[in-house]
Amino acid sequence: MENSIIEVQLRGHGVEQFSTPRLIGRRLLPADLDFLVELHASPGVMGHSGGPRTAASTEPFVRSNVAHWRYYQFGLYVLSPADDPDRPIGRAGLRWDRRDGETPSADVSVVLTEAAWGRGYAVEAGTAMVTIARSLELPVTAGCRADHAVARAVLEKIGFVHTENQLRNGEDWVRYRWPEDGRSPARLVPHPAESHR
């Protein structure tokens, strides 16, 4: 990160919620289906993530990610601005990745509505994901299409290190890993209810 520390506050069993200076993230719920259907339908938003998805393909995505939460106690979060918590602007998450030939890891993803682009939210959300994974002592990875310069810049600004190029579904991808020294991209702030213990 560029000489700045993003404060991340973690709350709930299995870190069900987090907050940063400008974002709130809460555990994905089945009731979030309508928002994710709208998010996934956008060609601009999903252009570098496999293309737009239909409602029929988003519904099993939500089911799978709700189940991921139940099994692993971490997963996908719905993001909202801290000053407007009822207005979702994207999703960020950690997904347990057991790719062949690789050490299992928590894979970071961030997808934002087009209206939320260019404001630094991806760095804040990605930093929170790394912080959560490190608080759970999980190895952390991330990936994106090789031609997605914005995503690569975000990952590198957070502190990820490029490890390899891959061919994935006929497309060139790049893989990143969190440095082995585990340096934190954030300062954890105790929840107010925990600060007087």
Side-chain angles (χ1 to χ4, degrees):
M1 302 242 0
E2 295 177 348
N3 301 324
S4 63
I5 294 177
I6 294 175
E7 293 186 350
V8 180
Q9 191 171 23
L10 308 179
R11 297 194 292 278
H13 177 67
V15 191
E16 293 180 346
Q17 297 179 38
F18 71 86
S19 58
T20 68
R22 299 181 302 147
L23 292 173
I24 293 172
R26 62 161 177 76
R27 174 181 176 167
L28 175 75
L29 299 171
D32 295 312
L33 175 62
D34 288 345
F35 166 67
L36 288 179
V37 165
E38 183 181 341
L39 182 72
H40 289 176
S42 167
V45 169
M46 298 301 289
H48 290 285
S49 300
R53 297 182 187 180
T54 64
S57 65
T58 297
E59 194 270 335
F61 171 88
V62 170
R63 269 202 329 268
S64 169
N65 279 283
V66 167
H68 186 280
W69 257 108
R70 281 197 307 267
Y71 190 81
Y72 293 107
Q73 294 302 301
F74 64 87
L76 201 66
Y77 297 84
V78 173
L79 304 172
S80 298
D83 60 359
D84 193 359
D86 294 326
R87 179 173 61 91
I89 60 166
R91 62 173 170 85
L94 297 168
R95 181 95 183 167
W96 194 238
D97 188 355
R98 294 189 212 138
R99 221 174 293 263
D100 290 341
E102 293 185 18
T103 303
S105 63
D107 203 57
V108 172
S109 67
V110 178
V111 176
L112 298 170
T113 62
E114 289 185 66
W117 291 357
R119 299 180 184 202
Y121 289 147
V123 171
E124 263 182 62
T127 298
M129 294 303 97
V130 172
T131 303
I132 292 167
R134 299 300 297 167
S135 77
L136 299 171
E137 299 183 351
L138 301 171
V140 192
T141 56
C144 64
R145 277 184 25 184
D147 63 354
H148 196 343
V150 172
R152 295 182 73 165
V154 165
L155 292 173
E156 290 163 15
K157 186 171 185 180
I158 292 168
F160 280 96
V161 175
H162 175 251
T163 56
E164 67 177 313
N165 298 339
Q166 294 179 333
L167 191 63
R168 191 167 159 189
N169 299 324
E171 296 180 333
D172 291 324
W173 275 63
V174 286
R175 295 290 296 160
Y176 288 81
R177 183 167 288 279
W178 190 250
E180 292 300 321
D181 65 13
R183 61 192 169 83
S184 176
R187 178 170 58 234
L188 290 179
V189 178
H191 184 270
E194 298 168 354
S195 60
H196 61 272
R197 287 184 185 173

